[in-house]
């Protein structure tokens, strides 16, 4: 393989652990574009022969690179180079459709559920609506170029968007509908982000390899007039998504 023909020999005198050096060589080939996204890398056995190190060392390097989202595995098929992570700047209030479209990928949705429910007390307080009043709940699997990326469950006061669930929520952007059909100008949001283990259901829906975390995001979105109109719980694939912030 080209990667390994050009790989610099490992420096066994160095204080840098051997598995880290293996990672650096594979990383270098991914960064230089020599190993393209979705290309299969050599097997553990081949890599161990090529680098002259144990399979345990190779496995440790590969497992870390899978955890970092640089590589991914397909059961029974081997280890592949992951696509670049999708970056989301946190300075601007954007929709999934905008984020994915801005990266030249095709956004799509699979509707997992849409219903009406009485607002539980805490959510009613946060949305400044009477407890027990109707909420619209929309649960969607979000995809980029057909690949599952996130599960999003949005809750909106029904009074702000009556009849929302009658719209085709697979074909339309939620924010697009809120703007075009209900005149809601979304202007700001408060968001919390934490890393977590996916639930079994999330792991299946997102087709995630074992050991990869999700980014759990909670967002309260407000209109230009300060009306809180959405509470969203999202789980994004931690190996496919990167959140960026510019600090000044
Ligand atoms: C982002 C936000 C969600 C929001 C969604 C709307 O993913 N994190 O809070 O519900 O965008 O996306 P769209 O307008 O594409 O349906």
């Amino acid at each position: 393989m080209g990667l390994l023909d050009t790989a610099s020999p490992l420096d066994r005198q160095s204080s840098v652990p051997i598995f880290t050096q293996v990672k650096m060589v594979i990383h270098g080939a991914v960064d230089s574009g020599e190993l393209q996204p979705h290309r299969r890398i050599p097997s553990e056995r081949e890599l161990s022969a090529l680098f002259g190190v144990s399979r345990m060392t190779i496995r440790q390097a590969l497992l870390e690179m899978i955890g970092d989202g640089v590589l991914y595995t397909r059961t029974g098929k081997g280890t592949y180079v992951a696509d670049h992570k999708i970056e989301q700047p946190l300075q601007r209030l954007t929709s999934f459709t905008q984020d994915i479209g801005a990266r030249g990928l095709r956004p799509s949705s699979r509707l997992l559920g849409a219903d009406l429910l009485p607002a539980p007390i805490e959510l009613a307080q946060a949305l400044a609506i009477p407890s027990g009043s109707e909420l619209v709940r929309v649960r969607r699997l979000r995809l980029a170029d057909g690949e599952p990326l996130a599960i999003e469950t949005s809750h909106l006061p029904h009074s702000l968007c009556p009849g929302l669930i009658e719209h085709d929520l697979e074909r339309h952007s939620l924010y697009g509908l809120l703007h075009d059909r209900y005149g809601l100008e979304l202007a700001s949001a408060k968001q919390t982000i934490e890393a977590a283990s996916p639930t079994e259901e999330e792991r299946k829906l997102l087709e995630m390899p074992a050991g990869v975390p999700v980014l759990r995001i909670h967002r309260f979105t407000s209109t230009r007039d300060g009306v809180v109109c959405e509470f969203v719980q999202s789980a994004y694939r931690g190996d496919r998504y990167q959140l960026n912030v510019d600090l000044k």
Side-chain angles (χ1 to χ4, degrees):
M1 278 217 63
L3 147 78
L4 299 159
D5 299 340
T6 59
S8 39
L10 305 180
D11 178 358
R12 289 171 197 275
Q13 310 308 322
S14 161
S15 58
V16 179
I18 293 291
F19 85 93
T20 307
Q21 293 187 42
V22 170
K23 277 176 66 175
M24 284 159 67
V25 172
I26 300 176
H27 234 300
V30 172
D31 288 346
S32 70
E34 195 181 324
L35 276 183
Q36 289 289 319
H38 306 301
R39 175 159 164 200
R40 193 162 79 83
I41 65 162
S43 68
E44 269 178 29
R45 193 171 43 76
E46 289 167 316
L47 288 170
S48 116
L50 284 159
F51 281 103
V53 300
S54 73
R55 282 181 68 166
M56 279 277 283
T57 304
I58 296 292
R59 189 165 309 148
Q60 190 180 2
L62 297 186
L63 277 178
E64 288 209 1
M65 294 185 81
I66 291 167
D68 294 343
V70 179
L71 303 175
Y72 67 96
T73 50
R74 282 195 190 154
T75 324
K77 289 195 176 146
T79 306
Y80 293 77
V81 179
D83 233 331
H84 304 297
K85 284 194 176 183
I86 292 167
E87 297 175 24
Q88 185 191 335
L90 289 177
Q91 292 83 346
R92 286 183 49 238
L93 177 63
T94 48
S95 70
F96 183 88
T97 304
Q98 290 169 324
D99 287 342
I100 300 305
R103 260 134 216 99
L105 304 173
R106 187 178 46 83
S108 64
S109 304
R110 201 170 95 210
L111 191 62
L112 301 173
D115 57 0
L116 298 177
L117 72 161
I121 292 182
E122 324 79 67
L123 201 47
Q125 276 172 357
L127 292 166
I129 54 174
S131 155
S133 55
E134 261 183 348
L135 281 184
V136 184
R137 177 171 58 188
V138 178
R139 188 157 187 255
R140 293 176 296 170
L141 180 67
R142 314 301 312 262
L143 307 98
D145 275 357
E147 191 195 339
L149 201 61
I151 301 166
E152 294 192 313
T153 310
S154 299
H155 304 75
L156 306 102
H158 193 216
S159 54
L160 293 178
C161 48
L164 179 73
I165 56 177
E166 262 94 73
H167 292 282
D168 185 344
L169 296 164
E170 293 207 333
R171 296 240 334 265
H172 295 295
S173 146
L174 176 64
Y175 283 6
L177 283 172
L178 293 180
H179 180 268
D180 300 346
R181 301 296 172 103
Y182 299 99
L184 296 171
E185 299 262 359
L186 306 186
S188 63
K190 278 202 191 316
Q191 192 158 287
T192 59
I193 303 158
E194 62 184 346
S197 299
T199 63
E200 198 46 34
E201 190 209 14
E202 287 170 340
R203 212 179 57 71
K204 282 200 185 119
L205 285 169
L206 293 169
E207 298 171 18
M208 287 172 70
V212 172
V214 286
L215 293 172
R216 236 178 250 303
I217 304 181
H218 285 185
R219 177 191 277 196
F220 283 98
T221 317
S222 303
T223 64
R224 206 165 288 292
D225 317 322
V227 176
V228 187
C229 62
E230 183 195 37
F231 169 62
V232 196
Q233 295 161 303
S234 316
Y236 278 75
R237 280 183 64 147
D239 57 343
R240 299 287 290 113
Y241 227 73
Q242 188 176 64
L243 302 161
N244 294 337
V245 196
D246 277 343
L247 301 173
K248 291 206 176 96

